[in-house]
Amino acid sequence: APPAEIAPPGPLAAGERGRPMSPVDVAWLRMDVPANLMHIHGVLVVEGEPSLDEARRVLGERLTRIPRFLQRVALDGSRFVWTDDSAFDLSRHVTEDRLAEPGGERELAAAIGAQLARPFDRRHPLWEFRLLRGYRGSDTVVFGRLHHAIGDGVALMVVLLAMTDLSPSGPATLDPALSASSLAINPFLALFRH
């Protein structure tokens, strides 16, 4: 059963500074109720079972370049702000579970369904990726969740694409001088330009 209420964000700690949240992001936070969480979800199937350490390395390299993924929500008086999470721990945000046997669609739906009613801990950044092992026997499903205050469905697609490589032999590039051929393969990479 979902919790009766979602705990509000805590205040800024002494000496901490925050950046005011946009009115739209504040609205998403205020609409967040246990019966209707303002979360965006995405699923990506990966062949095989990459190690948890490798998943954390890739996600750490790619997502921590986006400041919002290192920030938590706080209150500055009565105003919602983003502030760096001084206790950021990637292992809190990238976890793993094994699907029940036989690891088919039904078991995947049950595993994802168990996560849908779980609110984020507002003491930390509002996102997570869970590796669901044993899908179709030996594959992995990457189940991503992020709060709508961080971004919408398009933002989650950009995040999922940031996790992927342009080719099996090399990483995706966040280089602002992206080549035309790279953009033709993955046009979402243009969104990472500064």
Coordinates of all heavy atoms in Angstrom, one line a residue, residues 44-46 58-59 62-63 142 157-168 170-174 185-186 188-189 192:
L44 N 14.6 -0.2 -20.6 CA 15.5 -0.5 -21.6 C 16.0 -1.9 -21.4 O 16.5 -2.3 -20.3 CB 16.7 0.5 -21.5 CG 17.9 0.4 -22.5 CD1 17.4 0.8 -23.9 CD2 19.0 1.3 -22.0
V45 N 15.9 -2.7 -22.5 CA 16.4 -4.1 -22.4 C 17.8 -4.2 -22.9 O 18.1 -3.6 -24.0 CB 15.5 -5.0 -23.2 CG1 16.0 -6.5 -23.2 CG2 14.0 -5.0 -22.8
V46 N 18.7 -4.8 -22.1 CA 20.1 -4.9 -22.4 C 20.4 -6.4 -22.5 O 20.0 -7.2 -21.7 CB 20.9 -4.3 -21.3 CG1 22.4 -4.5 -21.6 CG2 20.6 -2.9 -21.1
V58 N 29.2 3.5 -15.8 CA 28.6 4.2 -16.9 C 27.6 5.3 -16.5 O 27.7 6.4 -17.0 CB 28.0 3.2 -17.9 CG1 27.2 3.9 -19.0 CG2 29.0 2.2 -18.5
L59 N 26.7 4.9 -15.6 CA 25.7 5.9 -15.2 C 26.4 7.1 -14.5 O 26.1 8.2 -14.7 CB 24.6 5.3 -14.4 CG 23.7 4.4 -15.2 CD1 22.8 3.6 -14.2 CD2 22.8 5.3 -16.0
R62 N 28.1 9.4 -17.0 CA 27.2 10.1 -17.9 C 26.2 11.0 -17.2 O 26.0 12.1 -17.6 CB 26.6 9.1 -18.9 CG 27.7 8.5 -19.7 CD 27.2 7.5 -20.6 NE 28.4 6.8 -21.2 CZ 28.3 6.0 -22.2 NH1 27.2 5.7 -22.8 NH2 29.4 5.4 -22.7
L63 N 25.6 10.5 -16.1 CA 24.5 11.3 -15.5 C 25.0 12.3 -14.6 O 24.4 13.4 -14.4 CB 23.6 10.3 -14.8 CG 22.8 9.3 -15.7 CD1 21.8 8.5 -14.8 CD2 22.1 10.0 -16.8
V142 N 16.7 -2.5 -17.7 CA 17.1 -1.3 -16.9 C 15.8 -0.5 -16.7 O 15.2 0.0 -17.7 CB 18.2 -0.4 -17.6 CG1 18.5 0.8 -16.8 CG2 19.4 -1.3 -17.9
M157 N 14.1 10.0 -22.0 CA 14.6 9.4 -23.2 C 16.0 9.8 -23.4 O 16.9 9.1 -23.8 CB 13.7 9.7 -24.4 CG 12.4 9.0 -24.5 SD 12.7 7.2 -24.5 CE 13.7 6.9 -25.9
V158 N 16.3 11.1 -23.2 CA 17.7 11.6 -23.4 C 18.6 11.0 -22.4 O 19.7 10.6 -22.7 CB 17.7 13.2 -23.2 CG1 19.1 13.7 -23.1 CG2 16.9 13.8 -24.3
V159 N 18.1 10.8 -21.1 CA 18.9 10.1 -20.1 C 19.2 8.7 -20.6 O 20.3 8.2 -20.5 CB 18.2 10.1 -18.8 CG1 18.9 9.2 -17.8 CG2 18.2 11.5 -18.2
L160 N 18.2 7.9 -21.0 CA 18.4 6.6 -21.5 C 19.4 6.5 -22.6 O 20.2 5.6 -22.7 CB 17.0 5.9 -21.8 CG 16.1 5.6 -20.7 CD1 14.8 5.1 -21.2 CD2 16.7 4.5 -19.8
L161 N 19.2 7.4 -23.6 CA 20.2 7.5 -24.7 C 21.6 7.9 -24.2 O 22.5 7.4 -24.8 CB 19.7 8.4 -25.8 CG 18.4 7.9 -26.5 CD1 17.8 9.0 -27.4 CD2 18.8 6.7 -27.4
A162 N 21.7 8.7 -23.2 CA 23.0 9.0 -22.7 C 23.7 7.8 -22.1 O 25.0 7.7 -22.1 CB 22.9 10.1 -21.6
M163 N 23.0 6.8 -21.8 CA 23.5 5.5 -21.2 C 24.1 4.6 -22.3 O 24.8 3.7 -22.1 CB 22.5 4.8 -20.4 CG 22.1 5.5 -19.2 SD 20.6 4.7 -18.4 CE 20.6 3.1 -18.9
T164 N 23.6 4.9 -23.6 CA 24.0 4.0 -24.6 C 25.1 4.5 -25.5 O 25.4 5.7 -25.4 CB 22.7 3.8 -25.6 OG1 22.4 5.0 -26.1 CG2 21.6 3.2 -24.8
D165 N 25.7 3.6 -26.2 CA 26.9 4.0 -27.1 C 26.4 4.1 -28.5 O 25.4 3.5 -28.9 CB 28.0 2.9 -27.0 CG 28.6 2.8 -25.6 OD1 28.5 3.9 -24.9 OD2 29.0 1.8 -25.2
L166 N 27.2 4.9 -29.3 CA 26.8 5.0 -30.7 C 27.2 3.7 -31.5 O 26.7 3.4 -32.5 CB 27.6 6.2 -31.3 CG 27.1 7.5 -30.8 CD1 28.0 8.7 -31.4 CD2 25.7 7.8 -31.2
S167 N 28.2 3.0 -31.0 CA 28.6 1.8 -31.6 C 29.1 0.8 -30.5 O 29.5 1.3 -29.4 CB 29.7 2.0 -32.6 OG 30.9 2.3 -32.0
P168 N 29.2 -0.5 -30.8 CA 29.7 -1.4 -29.8 C 31.2 -1.1 -29.4 O 31.6 -1.5 -28.3 CB 29.6 -2.8 -30.5 CG 28.6 -2.6 -31.6 CD 28.7 -1.1 -32.0
G170 N 32.6 1.9 -28.9 CA 33.0 3.2 -28.3 C 31.8 3.8 -27.6 O 30.6 3.6 -27.8
P171 N 32.1 4.7 -26.6 CA 31.1 5.4 -25.8 C 30.4 6.5 -26.6 O 30.9 7.0 -27.6 CB 31.9 6.0 -24.7 CG 33.2 6.2 -25.2 CD 33.5 5.1 -26.2
A172 N 29.2 6.8 -26.2 CA 28.5 8.0 -26.7 C 29.3 9.2 -26.4 O 30.1 9.2 -25.4 CB 27.1 8.1 -26.1
T173 N 29.3 10.2 -27.2 CA 30.1 11.4 -26.9 C 29.2 12.6 -26.5 O 28.1 12.7 -26.9 CB 30.9 11.8 -28.2 OG1 31.6 13.0 -27.9 CG2 30.0 12.1 -29.4
L174 N 29.7 13.3 -25.5 CA 29.1 14.5 -25.1 C 29.8 15.8 -25.6 O 29.7 16.9 -25.2 CB 28.9 14.6 -23.6 CG 28.1 13.4 -23.0 CD1 28.1 13.6 -21.5 CD2 26.7 13.4 -23.6
I185 N 23.0 9.5 -36.5 CA 22.7 8.2 -35.8 C 21.9 8.4 -34.6 O 20.9 7.6 -34.3 CB 24.1 7.5 -35.4 CG1 24.8 7.1 -36.7 CG2 23.8 6.3 -34.5 CD1 26.3 6.7 -36.4
N186 N 22.1 9.4 -33.8 CA 21.5 9.7 -32.5 C 21.2 11.2 -32.4 O 22.0 11.9 -31.7 CB 22.3 9.1 -31.4 CG 21.5 9.2 -30.1 OD1 20.5 9.9 -29.9 ND2 22.0 8.5 -29.1
F188 N 19.3 12.8 -30.5 CA 19.2 13.3 -29.1 C 20.5 13.8 -28.5 O 20.5 14.6 -27.6 CB 18.6 12.2 -28.3 CG 17.1 12.0 -28.5 CD1 16.7 11.0 -29.3 CD2 16.2 12.9 -28.0 CE1 15.3 10.8 -29.6 CE2 14.8 12.7 -28.2 CZ 14.4 11.6 -29.0
L189 N 21.6 13.4 -29.1 CA 22.9 13.9 -28.6 C 23.0 15.4 -28.7 O 23.7 16.0 -27.9 CB 24.1 13.2 -29.3 CG 24.3 11.7 -29.0 CD1 25.3 11.1 -29.9 CD2 24.6 11.5 -27.5
F192 N 22.7 17.5 -25.6 CA 23.7 17.6 -24.6 C 24.7 18.8 -24.9 O 25.6 19.0 -24.1 CB 24.5 16.3 -24.5 CG 23.7 15.3 -23.8 CD1 23.1 14.3 -24.5 CD2 23.5 15.3 -22.4 CE1 22.3 13.3 -23.8 CE2 22.7 14.3 -21.8 CZ 22.1 13.3 -22.5

